Amino acid sequence: MDEPNRPVRSTAGRTGGVLAAVLVAALAWTPGAHAAGPGGDGGAVPFTQAWGDNDDGQLGTGGGAGSAVPVTVPGLTGIRGLAAGYEHSLALLRDGTVWAWGDNDHGQLGDGTETDSGTPVRVLGLTGVKAVAAGDDFSLALLRDGTVRAWGDNDNGQLGDGTLADSSLPVQVHGLSGVKAVAGGDNHAVALLRDGTVRAWGDNDHGQLGNGRLTDSTIPVRVQGLTRAGAVAAGGNHSLAVVRDGQVRAWGDNFSGQLGNGTNIDSTTPVEVQALTGVEAVGAGLGHSLALAGDGTVWAWGDNASGQLGDGTTTDSTVPVRVRGLRGVTAIATAEEHNLAVTSSCDCRGAGPPVRPSCRCGGGPDGLPGIGPSGPGDAPAGSGSAVHAWGENGDGQLGNESTADSSVPVGVTTARGKITLIAAGGEHSLAG
């Protein structure tokens, strides 16, 4: 069932934000990102960096000041996954425990309190965690046994435990097993099962649960018509899945064209995103969507008021457009109105051993592998930096020492030369 779209809220008058969670079954999820290949130490990275807004301590530095350049989160090592909500952050460690910091008004830090923390605190009662994801004011953990835990805000049933009660401790999502990946949206969540089907729960005002209805659900419901799905994402009020042949399906809110089907009409069941094949991962923002293709290019559609489509304009698009200047991308992360991407720099997606930043891979321009056709206006994506960002930047969330929005990717100077994990929150970013 389709219905005419309704105006969406302005983020300036926020009643709830969104974090993007892009989850790929083959990876032990990095929320808000399709992770690059594992690094050393069994896939763990030595430390986390954060930048952007810090009003609630979401940078994890113990201070209140934000930063327009990456700063190190102290006290965390051996990190396997990162997630970012609207104003809180999560880190999964190699020992299977989860740590959280930032806003805790709804218990989204999972430490049994509702007290904000400017430094990481351990999420209580969680071990054996395989992946983490973050919604607006709630958090998710996928356990190695294929079950899911959730904590934080539950006004729309986004904890999936059959109630509407917030929880400052993890609770089990009802009836879920055999889960491969999870994603957190504004006030809803999505899970990919090992059999290729998809479940969703929480807010459903725009049909973002994909079950043909507009009624919220406090327990997971099956998304209609999806089989053999390989990745999922959850945005403000819409959801995405990668299906066979790398095509993308979308459902829910479509006010800005974020469903990518050439219309502005909501859909309570999945519709096909136009002209995309070979997609490996997807991301969902407040009103826009992102896709990483197998050739290392990135495509975007939907709201573009802050340049979050990365095509050099601020014009919305109801069909995918190519993000300028990015090739050889190995990871993407999507937030409310900004995005992150990791390029292989001079690793060139496995083309050989790392070489100096001025390398040429497959005949591509300096620092960019020669993968995929060039688009009009393509430009080098930073001077050898592994992380790139674009879109809204009022709090320095692009990490380029500026607070000016950018409609094309800009380089982020990180303290690690080899980034494998990224996550994008409401107005902050993480990398490791």
Side-chain angles (χ1 to χ4, degrees):
M1 180 181 75
D2 290 345
E3 61 173 22
N5 219 314
R6 300 167 294 281
V8 295
R9 70 192 183 286
S10 164
T11 55
R14 175 217 173 222
T15 59
V18 70
L19 48 64
V22 183
L23 301 159
V24 177
L27 303 169
W29 191 215
T30 52
H34 164 55
D41 194 22
V45 298
F47 59 87
T48 296
Q49 298 162 85
W51 60 97
D53 183 35
N54 197 32
D55 285 349
D56 290 275
Q58 58 265 48
L59 299 191
T61 59
S67 178
V69 295
V71 293
T72 299
V73 180
L76 291 179
T77 58
I79 299 154
R80 286 186 176 272
L82 295 171
Y86 187 76
E87 292 181 326
H88 75 290
S89 305
L90 302 173
L92 167 63
L93 304 191
R94 64 187 169 199
D95 63 3
T97 63
V98 179
W99 296 72
W101 59 98
D103 184 27
N104 199 28
D105 288 351
H106 295 271
Q108 58 264 47
L109 301 191
D111 66 343
T113 78
E114 292 185 353
T115 304
D116 295 355
S117 179
T119 56
V121 295
R122 183 170 174 175
V123 177
L124 298 178
L126 279 186
T127 58
V129 176
K130 177 182 178 181
V132 287
D136 183 9
D137 291 321
F138 70 104
S139 306
L140 299 163
L142 170 59
L143 273 58
R144 295 192 183 104
D145 65 5
T147 63
V148 178
R149 302 295 187 271
W151 59 99
D153 186 21
N154 199 28
D155 287 351
N156 297 96
Q158 56 266 49
L159 299 191
D161 66 342
T163 79
L164 293 173
D166 293 357
S167 180
S168 61
L169 294 170
V171 296
Q172 183 164 352
V173 176
H174 178 79
L176 275 187
S177 61
V179 177
K180 290 173 66 174
V182 289
D186 191 347
N187 292 305
H188 76 290
V190 178
L192 170 64
L193 273 58
R194 294 192 185 108
D195 64 5
T197 62
V198 178
R199 303 293 189 272
W201 61 98
D203 186 20
N204 199 30
D205 286 352
H206 294 263
Q208 57 264 48
L209 300 190
N211 64 339
R213 300 180 180 182
L214 292 170
T215 305
D216 295 356
S217 180
T218 62
I219 59 174
V221 295
R222 182 166 178 171
V223 177
Q224 291 186 11
L226 289 184
T227 58
R228 296 171 57 189
V232 291
N237 291 305
H238 72 292
S239 307
L240 302 170
V242 178
V243 295
R244 56 187 176 277
D245 301 323
Q247 296 179 350
V248 179
R249 299 291 186 269
W251 59 98
D253 186 24
N254 199 26
F255 181 76
S256 300
Q258 58 263 51
L259 300 191
N261 65 340
T263 78
N264 291 100
I265 300 172
D266 291 2
S267 181
T268 62
T269 57
V271 296
E272 183 177 349
V273 176
Q274 290 188 13
L276 278 184
T277 59
V279 171
E280 294 184 347
V282 283
L286 181 63
H288 75 288
S289 304
L290 209 62
L292 170 60
D295 65 359
T297 60
V298 179
W299 301 78
W301 58 98
D303 182 25
N304 198 27
S306 300
Q308 57 264 52
L309 300 192
D311 66 343
T313 79
T314 53
T315 303
D316 295 355
S317 180
T318 61
V319 296
V321 296
R322 184 172 167 186
V323 177
R324 287 176 51 180
L326 289 182
R327 281 173 288 174
V329 175
T330 58
I332 55 173
T334 313
E336 279 207 339
E337 294 182 340
H338 78 283
N339 310 283
L340 303 175
V342 175
T343 61
S344 55
S345 294
C346 291
D347 288 317
C348 299
R349 286 176 77 89
V355 288
R356 58 191 175 82
S358 61
C359 67
R360 292 175 179 268
C361 302
D366 287 355
L368 290 173
I371 299 176
S374 296
D378 266 1
S383 56
S385 175
V387 181
H388 312 272
W390 65 99
E392 206 277 326
N393 195 30
D395 289 277
Q397 57 264 50
L398 300 190
N400 66 334
E401 301 184 62
S402 167
T403 54
D405 296 353
S406 181
S407 61
V408 294
V410 296
V412 181
T413 303
T414 59
R416 287 192 74 230
K418 182 62 177 176
I419 296 296
T420 58
L421 304 173
I422 50 174
E427 294 170 342
H428 72 292
S429 305
L430 303 173

